[in-house]
């Protein structure tokens, strides 16, 4: 509508290469990429094994996108300096790469920075806590972005709203609000894919991280203690310290998935 056809096509070309970096890296790790959604400020790659993949791989795939903006921006700047491109066009392309690359590093899901934040949180928190806190942080930062877009109307002598920033802020807010409401589904998907991650750990050989619960702990409470990159043995103990049962994590997960009774005691799975 405004006549910036070439600029718009260039912007989406930059985003396409950015997402191609994610896809090629993900495929290199053997991930199954279901779809890629292209947006003006970046894109979102949906993978089949979400939640069951090692956080290290997730972080590498996330950073692969902004790295494409680094080399594209460097090439555009170099072409401008050598006179191969018009200086104004060169400035537009390298600035667009800087803007897209840095924006995607903001710690807001589903941006690359949000995925890096989630991978970092998963190193210390259980997966359910990681989901909750990553989405909460993303919601807060989305609200700050929306507020920053509206501030000029109030404090800058009647200047207009930063419409682009407001649109992106609203998109990120509603995306994360929807994700917050769907945390039970996201956690269930994590549990569903857990068997594959467990098999991978057993095949390679891995240290087991024990989870100690008392006999009154529910299956749901035990599952919420699972960490993303660890294989667990669930140890059921009495208050006096006597071990009643030791359950491999598959027993707990399969027990829940088979009947969906999350409120029964973990010890019941041993009976």
């Amino acid at each position: 509508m405004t006549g910036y056809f070439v600029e718009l096509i260039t912007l989406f070309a930059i985003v396409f290469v950015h997402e191609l970096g994610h896809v090629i890296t993900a495929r290199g790790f053997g991930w199954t990429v279901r779809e890629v959604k292209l947006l003006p400020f970046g894109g979102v790659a949906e993978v089949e094994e979400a939640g069951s993949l090692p956080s290290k791989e997730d972080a590498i795939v996330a950073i692969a996108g902004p790295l494409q903006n680094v080399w594209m921006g460097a090439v555009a700047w170099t072409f401008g300096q050598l006179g191969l491109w018009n200086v104004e066009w060169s400035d537009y392309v390298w600035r667009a790469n800087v803007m897209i690359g840095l924006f995607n590093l903001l710690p807001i899901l589903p941006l690359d920075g949000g995925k890096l934040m989630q991978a970092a949180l998963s190193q210390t928190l259980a997966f359910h806590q990681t989901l909750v806190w990553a989405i909460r942080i993303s919601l807060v930062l989305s609200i700050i972005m929306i507020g920053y877009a509206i501030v000029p109307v109030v404090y800058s002598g009647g200047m207009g709203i930063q419409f682009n920033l407001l649109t992106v802020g609203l998109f990120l807010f509603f995306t994360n609000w929807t994700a917050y409401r769907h945390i039970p589904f996201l956690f269930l998907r994590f549990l569903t894919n857990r068997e594959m991650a467990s098999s991978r750990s057993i095949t390679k050989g891995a240290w087991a991280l024990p989870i100690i619960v008392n006999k009154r702990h529910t299956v749901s409470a035990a599952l919420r203690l699972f960490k993303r990159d660890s294989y667990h043995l669930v140890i059921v103990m009495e208050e006096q310290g006597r071990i009643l049962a030791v359950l491999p994590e598959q027993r707990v997960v399969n027990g829940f998935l088979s009947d969906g009774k999350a409120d029964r005691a973990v010890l019941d799975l041993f009976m």
Side-chain angles (χ1 to χ4, degrees):
M1 291 174 64
T2 56
Y4 288 94
F5 296 109
V6 176
E7 289 82 357
L8 185 62
I9 292 171
T10 301
L11 192 64
F12 271 97
I14 291 171
V15 170
F16 177 77
V17 175
H18 175 109
E19 287 305 309
L20 202 58
H22 291 311
V23 171
I24 292 174
T25 308
R27 293 295 297 272
F29 283 126
W31 295 12
T32 303
V33 181
R34 291 190 301 179
E35 64 177 359
V36 178
K37 299 175 182 177
L38 295 182
L39 304 167
F41 56 85
V44 180
E46 295 286 343
V47 298
E48 194 72 39
E49 305 89 348
S52 66
L53 301 164
S55 57
K56 181 180 178 180
E57 292 184 10
D58 210 1
I60 293 173
V61 171
I63 201 65
L67 286 177
Q68 309 312 307
N69 298 117
V70 172
W71 74 259
M72 285 190 289
V75 168
W77 181 85
T78 302
F79 280 9
Q81 295 298 308
L82 295 176
L84 300 176
W85 281 2
N86 178 280
V87 175
E88 291 184 359
W89 179 246
S90 172
D91 285 348
Y92 172 79
V93 175
W94 76 256
R95 288 178 189 275
N97 274 286
V98 170
M99 177 190 71
I100 292 173
L102 291 180
F103 183 83
N104 273 276
L105 288 174
L106 290 175
I108 305 175
L109 291 169
L111 302 180
D112 300 330
K115 294 176 181 176
L116 290 171
M117 171 187 65
Q118 194 171 43
L121 288 174
S122 68
Q123 297 302 302
T124 54
L125 299 178
F127 186 75
H128 189 271
Q129 289 179 300
T130 298
L131 281 177
V132 171
W133 281 106
I135 295 174
R136 283 177 177 174
I137 292 170
S138 298
L139 282 170
V140 169
L141 294 179
S142 298
I143 292 171
I144 292 173
M145 185 182 297
I146 293 169
Y148 186 79
I150 297 174
V151 159
V153 176
V154 181
Y155 295 104
S156 301
M159 288 179 60
I161 294 175
Q162 298 182 53
F163 186 74
N164 288 343
L165 191 61
L166 177 62
T167 302
V168 173
L170 288 171
F171 169 81
L172 293 174
F173 175 81
F174 285 111
T175 297
N176 282 286
W177 179 251
T178 301
Y180 193 77
R181 294 174 58 190
H182 290 169
I183 283 178
F185 166 76
L186 297 173
F187 187 61
L188 180 62
R189 185 173 65 173
F190 163 73
L191 295 177
T192 303
N193 291 324
R194 187 71 182 179
E195 184 174 357
M196 179 176 60
S198 299
S199 299
R200 186 166 54 233
S201 297
I202 294 171
T203 301
K204 293 181 178 179
W207 290 97
L209 181 65
I211 294 176
I212 301 175
V213 299
N214 65 50
K215 61 183 180 181
R216 286 185 293 274
H217 253 75
T218 63
V219 172
S220 175
L223 291 173
R224 290 189 178 200
L225 296 175
F226 279 29
K227 295 189 69 175
R228 180 176 182 176
D229 294 326
S230 300
Y231 179 82
H232 298 294
L233 292 175
V234 180
I235 302 173
V236 185
M237 300 181 69
E238 288 185 323
E239 285 78 359
Q240 295 79 11
R242 186 167 69 93
I243 295 176
L244 300 176
V246 178
L247 302 171
E249 66 169 54
Q250 298 99 310
R251 183 83 168 269
V252 182
V253 173
N254 292 337
F256 167 70
L257 294 178
S258 63
D259 58 22
K261 295 180 180 179
D263 57 348
R264 65 170 168 166
V266 176
L267 189 59
D268 291 348
L269 298 174
F270 192 74
M271 305 302 181

